[in-house]
Coordinates of all heavy atoms in Angstrom, one line a residue:
V1 N -22.8 7.2 -9.3 CA -24.1 6.7 -9.2 C -24.5 6.4 -7.7 O -25.6 6.9 -7.3 CB -24.2 5.3 -9.9 CG1 -25.7 4.5 -9.6 CG2 -24.3 5.5 -11.4
P2 N -23.7 5.8 -6.9 CA -24.2 5.5 -5.5 C -24.1 6.9 -4.6 O -24.8 6.8 -3.5 CB -23.0 4.7 -4.9 CG -22.3 4.0 -6.0 CD -22.5 5.1 -7.2
E3 N -23.6 8.0 -5.1 CA -23.4 9.1 -4.4 C -22.6 8.9 -3.0 O -23.2 9.5 -2.0 CB -24.8 9.9 -4.1 CG -25.5 10.3 -5.6 CD -26.6 11.2 -5.4 OE1 -27.2 11.2 -4.3 OE2 -26.9 11.8 -6.4
A4 N -21.7 8.2 -3.0 CA -21.1 7.6 -1.8 C -19.5 8.0 -1.7 O -18.9 7.3 -0.8 CB -21.3 6.3 -1.4
G5 N -19.1 8.8 -2.5 CA -17.8 9.2 -2.6 C -16.7 8.4 -3.4 O -17.1 7.6 -4.2
D6 N -15.4 8.5 -2.9 CA -14.3 8.0 -3.7 C -14.0 6.5 -3.6 O -14.3 5.9 -2.7 CB -13.0 8.8 -3.3 CG -13.2 10.2 -3.7 OD1 -14.0 10.6 -4.4 OD2 -12.4 11.0 -3.0
W7 N -13.5 6.1 -4.8 CA -12.9 4.6 -4.9 C -14.0 3.6 -4.5 O -13.9 2.6 -3.9 CB -11.8 4.5 -4.0 CG -10.6 5.0 -4.5 CD1 -10.3 6.1 -5.4 CD2 -9.1 4.5 -4.3 NE1 -9.1 6.1 -5.7 CE2 -8.3 5.3 -5.0 CE3 -8.6 3.4 -3.6 CZ2 -6.9 5.1 -5.0 CZ3 -7.3 3.3 -3.6 CH2 -6.3 4.1 -4.3
Y8 N -15.4 4.0 -4.8 CA -16.5 3.1 -4.5 C -16.2 1.7 -5.2 O -16.5 0.6 -4.5 CB -17.8 3.7 -4.9 CG -18.9 3.1 -4.5 CD1 -19.5 3.4 -3.2 CD2 -19.5 2.1 -5.1 CE1 -20.6 2.8 -2.7 CE2 -20.8 1.4 -4.7 CZ -21.2 1.7 -3.5 OH -22.4 1.1 -3.0
A9 N -15.9 1.8 -6.5 CA -15.9 0.5 -7.2 C -14.7 -0.5 -6.7 O -15.0 -1.7 -6.8 CB -15.5 0.9 -8.7
R10 N -13.8 -0.1 -6.0 CA -12.9 -0.9 -5.4 C -13.4 -1.3 -4.0 O -13.3 -2.5 -3.6 CB -11.4 -0.2 -5.4 CG -10.4 -1.0 -4.5 CD -9.1 -0.3 -4.4 NE -8.2 -0.8 -3.4 CZ -7.4 -1.9 -3.6 NH1 -7.4 -2.5 -4.7 NH2 -6.7 -2.4 -2.5
N11 N -13.6 -0.2 -3.2 CA -13.9 -0.5 -1.8 C -15.2 -1.2 -1.5 O -15.4 -2.0 -0.5 CB -14.0 0.7 -1.1 CG -12.6 1.6 -1.0 OD1 -11.6 0.8 -1.1 ND2 -12.6 2.7 -0.9
M12 N -16.1 -1.4 -2.6 CA -17.3 -1.9 -2.3 C -17.1 -3.6 -2.2 O -18.0 -4.3 -1.8 CB -18.4 -1.8 -3.5 CG -17.9 -2.0 -5.0 SD -19.2 -2.1 -6.1 CE -19.7 -3.9 -5.8
Y13 N -16.0 -4.0 -2.7 CA -15.6 -5.4 -2.7 C -14.6 -5.6 -1.5 O -13.9 -6.7 -1.5 CB -14.8 -5.7 -3.9 CG -15.7 -5.9 -5.2 CD1 -15.6 -4.8 -6.2 CD2 -16.7 -6.8 -5.4 CE1 -16.4 -4.8 -7.3 CE2 -17.5 -6.8 -6.4 CZ -17.3 -5.8 -7.4 OH -18.1 -5.8 -8.6
M14 N -14.5 -4.7 -0.6 CA -13.7 -5.1 0.6 C -14.7 -5.1 1.8 O -15.1 -4.0 2.5 CB -12.6 -3.9 0.8 CG -11.7 -3.9 -0.4 SD -10.3 -2.7 -0.2 CE -9.4 -3.4 1.2
Q15 N -14.9 -6.3 2.3 CA -15.8 -6.5 3.4 C -15.3 -5.6 4.6 O -14.3 -5.6 4.8 CB -15.9 -7.9 3.8 CG -16.9 -8.3 4.9 CD -16.9 -9.7 5.3 OE1 -15.8 -10.4 5.0 NE2 -18.0 -10.2 5.8
G16 N -16.3 -5.0 5.2 CA -16.1 -4.2 6.4 C -16.0 -2.7 6.1 O -16.0 -1.7 7.1
S17 N -15.8 -2.3 4.8 CA -15.7 -0.9 4.3 C -17.0 -0.2 4.2 O -18.0 -0.9 4.2 CB -14.9 -0.8 3.1 OG -15.7 -1.1 2.0
G18 N -16.9 1.1 4.3 CA -18.1 1.8 4.2 C -18.9 1.7 2.9 O -20.2 1.5 2.8
A19 N -18.1 1.5 1.8 CA -18.6 1.2 0.5 C -19.3 -0.1 0.4 O -20.5 -0.3 -0.2 CB -17.5 1.4 -0.5
Y20 N -18.6 -1.2 1.1 CA -19.1 -2.5 1.1 C -20.6 -2.5 1.8 O -21.4 -3.1 1.3 CB -18.3 -3.4 1.8 CG -18.8 -4.8 2.0 CD1 -18.5 -6.0 1.1 CD2 -19.5 -5.2 3.1 CE1 -19.0 -7.1 1.3 CE2 -19.9 -6.4 3.3 CZ -19.7 -7.5 2.4 OH -20.2 -8.8 2.6
T21 N -20.6 -1.9 2.9 CA -21.8 -1.9 3.7 C -22.9 -1.2 3.0 O -24.0 -1.6 2.8 CB -21.6 -1.2 5.0 OG1 -20.5 -1.8 5.6 CG2 -22.9 -1.0 5.8
H22 N -22.6 0.0 2.3 CA -23.6 0.8 1.4 C -24.1 0.0 0.4 O -25.3 -0.1 -0.1 CB -22.8 2.0 1.0 CG -23.8 2.9 0.2 ND1 -23.9 2.6 -1.3 CD2 -24.6 3.9 0.5 CE1 -24.8 3.5 -1.8 NE2 -25.2 4.3 -0.8
F23 N -23.1 -0.8 -0.5 CA -23.6 -1.6 -1.4 C -24.5 -2.7 -1.1 O -25.4 -3.0 -1.8 CB -22.2 -2.1 -2.3 CG -22.6 -2.7 -3.5 CD1 -22.8 -2.0 -4.7 CD2 -22.9 -4.2 -3.6 CE1 -23.1 -2.6 -5.9 CE2 -23.2 -4.8 -4.8 CZ -23.3 -3.9 -6.0
V24 N -24.1 -3.5 -0.2 CA -25.0 -4.6 0.2 C -26.3 -4.0 0.6 O -27.4 -4.7 0.3 CB -24.2 -5.3 1.5 CG1 -25.3 -6.4 2.1 CG2 -22.9 -6.0 1.0
K25 N -26.4 -3.0 1.5 CA -27.7 -2.4 1.8 C -28.5 -1.9 0.6 O -29.7 -2.1 0.7 CB -27.4 -1.3 2.9 CG -28.8 -0.7 3.4 CD -28.5 0.3 4.4 CE -29.6 1.1 4.9 NZ -29.3 2.2 5.9
T26 N -27.9 -1.2 -0.4 CA -28.5 -0.5 -1.3 C -28.8 -1.5 -2.6 O -29.9 -1.4 -3.2 CB -27.7 0.7 -1.8 OG1 -27.4 1.3 -0.7 CG2 -28.6 1.4 -2.8
Y27 N -27.8 -2.3 -3.0 CA -27.8 -3.2 -4.1 C -27.8 -4.6 -4.1 O -28.4 -5.3 -4.9 CB -26.8 -2.6 -5.1 CG -26.8 -1.3 -5.5 CD1 -25.7 -0.5 -4.9 CD2 -27.6 -0.4 -6.2 CE1 -25.6 1.0 -5.1 CE2 -27.5 0.8 -6.5 CZ -26.5 1.6 -5.9 OH -26.5 2.9 -6.1
G28 N -27.3 -5.2 -3.0 CA -27.1 -6.5 -2.7 C -25.7 -6.9 -2.5 O -24.8 -6.2 -2.5
H29 N -25.7 -8.3 -2.4 CA -24.3 -8.7 -2.0 C -23.4 -8.9 -3.4 O -23.9 -9.2 -4.4 CB -24.4 -10.1 -1.4 CG -23.0 -10.6 -0.9 ND1 -22.2 -11.2 -1.5 CD2 -22.7 -10.6 0.7 CE1 -21.1 -11.5 -0.7 NE2 -21.5 -11.2 0.5

């Protein structure tokens, strides 16, 4: 769904990662 690559569901919960930054910007905290 985010079109942002691998392990997004894990890494979006790791502050400082690219996935976290993308998620906060796109969907919220």
